[in-house]
Amino acid sequence: AYALHVSEHYRRASEELLHAYQRNKEANRHHEAGAYKAALHHVKLSKHHAFNAHEHLKEALVISEKISQSDAPFSQRAGILGKSGLQ
C-alpha cells in the first residue's frame, strides 16, 4: 500500500514538472514576442506547478523514510537470526 502511495506521488510530481516546463516554454515565447504581461502570467503558472511537484516529492520522501524505518528493525532481527544460525 505504501509503495503505491509513493509511486502516485512520483507520478503526480512528474506531471507537475511537465506542466511547469510547458508553461516556462510558453513564457519564453511570449517574452521573445514582447508580450511581457503574458510571459509573467505563464512564469507564475510554471512556478506554481514546480512548487506542486516539490510538495509531491517531499511527501514521497517522507513515506519512503517511514517505510525504511519500519523495515530496519526487521532487517536487524533477520541479521541477528542469520548470525546465530551460523554459530
Side-chain angles (χ1 to χ4, degrees):
Y2 282 124
L4 290 175
H5 200 58
V6 169
S7 64
E8 178 65 15
H9 279 293
Y10 283 137
R11 186 189 65 74
R12 288 183 178 180
S14 177
E15 287 178 359
E16 290 289 346
L17 286 172
L18 175 61
H19 292 307
Y21 171 74
Q22 291 169 336
R23 294 294 172 227
N24 194 47
K25 278 178 53 176
E26 192 67 21
N28 188 48
R29 283 190 207 113
H30 285 300
H31 187 268
E32 288 176 352
Y36 301 115
K37 201 169 186 180
L40 180 61
H41 172 73
H42 284 283
V43 166
K44 288 179 180 179
L45 290 174
S46 179
K47 180 184 170 189
H48 174 74
H49 287 297
F51 176 81
N52 288 343
H54 177 74
E55 292 299 308
H56 282 295
L57 291 173
K58 282 187 351 188
E59 285 297 316
L61 181 62
V62 166
I63 295 167
S64 295
E65 287 174 343
K66 286 180 183 178
I67 292 170
S68 67
Q69 286 174 357
S70 66
D71 285 348
F74 176 76
S75 299
Q76 290 169 354
R77 285 194 309 262
I80 293 168
L81 291 175
K83 288 178 184 176
S84 65
L86 293 175
Q87 294 175 346

